[in-house]
Amino acid sequence: IPGEYHAVKVSVDEDAAGMLIGRGGTTAESVEHLVERMASNAAGDRVLEVLTERLTQALPAETVLGRLAGDEFALFIDGISGQGAQEAIKHLSNDILEVISQPFHVNQQEVFLSASIGVACSRPGDAAEQLLRNADIAMYGAKAAGKARLAVFQPQMQEQLHDRLRLEQDIDLGLARDEFFLEFQPVVDLTSRE
């Protein structure tokens, strides 16, 4: 990537509580279920349209915004460079979190969402794919830290991800080979022998 670019990946928190406030009262449910249920009557699509409009209005003109999947957006930001670039991107990302947290009014109902954001700043020689991958890793780090957060990619995140994937593969392999067994060790009070 020539110049200094930044990638921001935004994902609506799938298991955050979505609140519907309408004529029938207030209910809480997972956002995934909420959007799925609302999608049957096109309201889910409207939530995503409004979200896109809000993001577009909150972003600098040099930003390229794209929807990657049902609830994931990617932003490529140009025009922010120099010493304060990372802080400026973090500030912009916090603005995005604020925009997303505002209620969505759809079909006489209020819907509240939250999102997790991953930020990656380009380094010399980074390809756009690597920049987006780094933002993705940071986004999942933000989700793991508790939702409705932002995380900035750090190189050690890549190694932590690889370590976790290796552990998951080792566990899967151990399960397939029946290498796990259960040991019982009773807990006994030495005084009462109970």
Side-chain angles (χ1 to χ4, degrees):
I1 299 174
E4 189 171 342
Y5 288 81
H6 312 282
V8 177
K9 191 154 182 208
V10 179
S11 176
V12 174
D13 292 328
E14 292 174 4
D15 58 348
M19 296 295 292
L20 279 176
I21 303 172
R23 293 183 197 165
T26 303
T27 59
E29 59 185 296
S30 76
V31 171
E32 182 177 19
H33 181 256
L34 171 70
V35 172
E36 180 181 299
R37 184 169 63 80
M38 291 179 75
S40 63
N41 62 16
D45 287 341
R46 183 66 188 138
V47 168
L48 292 173
E49 288 171 8
V50 172
L51 175 57
T52 302
E53 291 167 8
R54 287 184 186 179
L55 289 174
T56 302
Q57 291 172 359
L59 298 170
E62 303 84 11
T63 303
V64 175
L65 171 66
R67 183 172 165 209
L68 299 177
D71 63 354
E72 287 188 1
F73 295 83
L75 296 77
F76 282 95
I77 304 167
D78 186 15
I80 300 176
S81 61
Q83 287 282 38
Q86 189 168 337
E87 284 306 310
I89 296 298
K90 286 166 83 174
H91 180 75
L92 178 63
S93 296
N94 280 316
D95 289 348
I96 292 169
L97 287 174
E98 178 65 28
V99 164
I100 292 171
S101 71
Q102 298 302 311
F104 293 81
H105 300 279
V106 179
N107 292 349
Q108 298 177 344
Q109 297 177 344
E110 281 187 313
V111 179
F112 293 87
L113 303 177
S114 66
S116 297
I117 296 179
V119 175
C121 298
S122 68
R123 297 173 299 205
D126 279 350
E129 297 83 11
Q130 183 62 47
L131 190 60
L132 190 56
R133 215 174 0 258
N134 291 348
D136 193 51
I137 290 169
M139 182 193 67
Y140 282 105
K143 283 182 177 286
K147 314 291 188 264
R149 298 177 187 261
L150 85 99
V152 177
F153 177 79
Q154 303 297 323
Q156 67 267 23
M157 289 178 165
Q158 183 95 31
E159 188 58 36
Q160 290 168 346
L161 177 64
H162 286 130
D163 289 347
R164 183 169 168 239
L165 291 174
R166 278 193 292 272
L167 178 61
E168 287 178 9
Q169 289 172 343
D170 289 347
I171 290 171
D172 288 343
L173 188 59
L175 287 170
R177 293 180 178 169
D178 203 25
E179 294 175 340
F180 291 97
F181 58 93
L182 182 63
E183 292 270 341
F184 176 73
Q185 181 176 357
V187 177
V188 178
D189 182 331
L190 293 178
T191 309
S192 67
R193 297 193 182 262
E194 292 182 13

